[in-house]
Amino acid sequence: MSAFADISATGTSTGNRVTNAIAMASRRTGVDFSYLLGQAKIESSLNPTARAATSSATGLYQFIDQSWLAVVDKHGGEYGLGWASDAIQQSGGRYYVADPELRQQILDLRKHPETASVMAAEHAADNKAYLESKLGREAQPVDLYLAHFLGVGGASKFLSVHDRAPDASAASLFPSAARANRSIFFDRSGNARSFAEIRDRFASKLLKSSDGLGADIQYAAAALPSGAKTVQPADYVRIETQRLSEQVDVGIRPQPQTARLAYLMLATLGR
């Protein structure tokens, strides 16, 4: 059975854990807290075990399988997930894990609020850097959500046109997305919305989703010095594993399986 099969999605403690996980991810990566909170509310209503009915999307941020494997492969080693990133391979542009049981354990980390939040934040940071390099300006939270919605390449294309001709119709440039998301690209009368209208609607949606939880949500980061990255239990596993491996008199070297077991135990306990 999955290590995360029994995580509860209800109750006050779960809500506190989720919002604190998002606040910590924001602090560790520098990604806007309101954006991360708003995205999680839009995607899953802050339910860490949410599952989509029509795709593999799972967890707070509704990562599909391939997107999750990609971000863990890229950033997992920074957060005590070296055992996971090392197991992820790529072939023909797709990510895979040879061991089915290990693959499921990695995918189930989407249901772990702390892991899902920090991976979502790292993914957003990557998108932010890409967009800013293409647009020549700072990427706003709404631009990051457009990267989530259209893919970072699609968002770059959308925003480039938006910045030059905000009143132009967006549907003609994104026909496939417009067909799949008619209510976003067209109003109720069937009139095509402009780039500015679509971006403004997403901005309003994000703002509404991040309102109403109170300023005290970010207390988890309040005592941290500027630029600091706090150490979570998973990091202790990584640090201790590295320390032991560097000792010349250790008879038994720590194994990736040990780090994986420790991480999964901590995650299941809500650390």
Side-chain angles (χ1 to χ4, degrees):
M1 178 177 289
S2 162
F4 299 101
D6 298 322
I7 287 182
S8 172
T10 60
T12 303
S13 60
T14 300
N16 288 341
R17 178 184 173 187
V18 166
T19 50
N20 285 334
I22 295 170
M24 190 63 70
S26 171
R27 184 60 172 171
R28 299 186 83 179
T29 62
V31 175
D32 184 73
F33 170 79
S34 294
Y35 167 72
L36 291 172
L37 178 63
Q39 184 189 4
K41 288 189 73 176
I42 291 169
E43 295 299 316
S44 68
S45 299
L46 299 183
N47 179 358
T49 61
R51 292 182 60 91
T54 57
S55 73
S56 62
T58 300
L60 277 180
Y61 292 93
Q62 292 293 280
F63 278 98
I64 61 171
D65 292 356
Q66 282 296 301
S67 296
W68 182 252
L69 293 176
V71 72
V72 172
D73 179 53
K74 184 172 184 179
H75 293 291
E78 303 166 32
Y79 296 95
L81 289 169
W83 57 269
S85 58
D86 289 346
I88 299 170
Q89 303 175 64
Q90 193 174 10
S91 177
R94 291 186 62 81
Y95 294 88
Y96 72 95
V97 178
D99 183 337
E101 182 178 356
L102 179 55
R103 179 181 186 274
Q104 192 58 53
Q105 288 178 338
I106 295 171
L107 291 176
D108 282 345
L109 290 171
R110 291 175 293 182
K111 303 175 187 175
H112 178 219
E114 291 76 13
T115 307
S117 296
V118 80
M119 289 297 108
E122 289 288 0
H123 185 57
D126 290 342
N127 288 344
K128 186 175 189 292
Y130 179 88
L131 290 176
E132 290 177 349
S133 72
K134 296 294 183 181
L135 300 174
R137 64 168 175 82
E138 183 178 358
Q140 302 299 317
V142 64
D143 301 328
L144 300 183
Y145 193 77
L146 281 165
H148 170 76
F149 176 65
L150 293 171
V152 69
S156 175
K157 183 179 178 182
F158 181 102
L159 292 167
S160 294
V161 179
H162 169 275
D163 291 353
R164 295 194 312 269
D167 295 328
S169 169
S172 59
L173 192 64
F174 295 91
S176 296
R179 285 193 298 270
N181 302 275
R182 188 169 179 82
S183 64
I184 290 173
F185 285 84
F186 298 91
D187 64 22
R188 293 182 179 180
S189 299
N191 300 311
R193 290 194 171 103
S194 69
F195 286 93
E197 287 174 323
I198 293 172
R199 185 175 183 271
D200 289 347
R201 284 169 64 86
F202 274 123
S204 296
K205 190 174 184 179
L206 272 176
L207 181 61
K208 182 178 179 181
S209 294
S210 60
D211 281 347
L213 287 179
D216 60 338
I217 293 299
Q218 298 191 58
Y219 71 84
L224 299 178
S226 177
K229 279 195 172 184
T230 60
V231 178
Q232 294 182 339
D235 298 312
Y236 287 114
V237 174
R238 172 176 49 79
I239 293 167
E240 182 64 9
T241 299
Q242 181 178 351
R243 185 187 68 79
L244 290 174
S245 68
E246 292 172 351
Q247 291 183 359
V248 295
D249 58 344
V250 174
I252 301 177
R253 300 290 181 186
Q255 300 297 314
Q257 297 93 319
T258 307
R260 181 175 79 244
L261 178 61
Y263 191 97
L264 294 174
M265 289 175 64
L266 289 165
T268 305
L269 291 170
R271 304 300 186 190

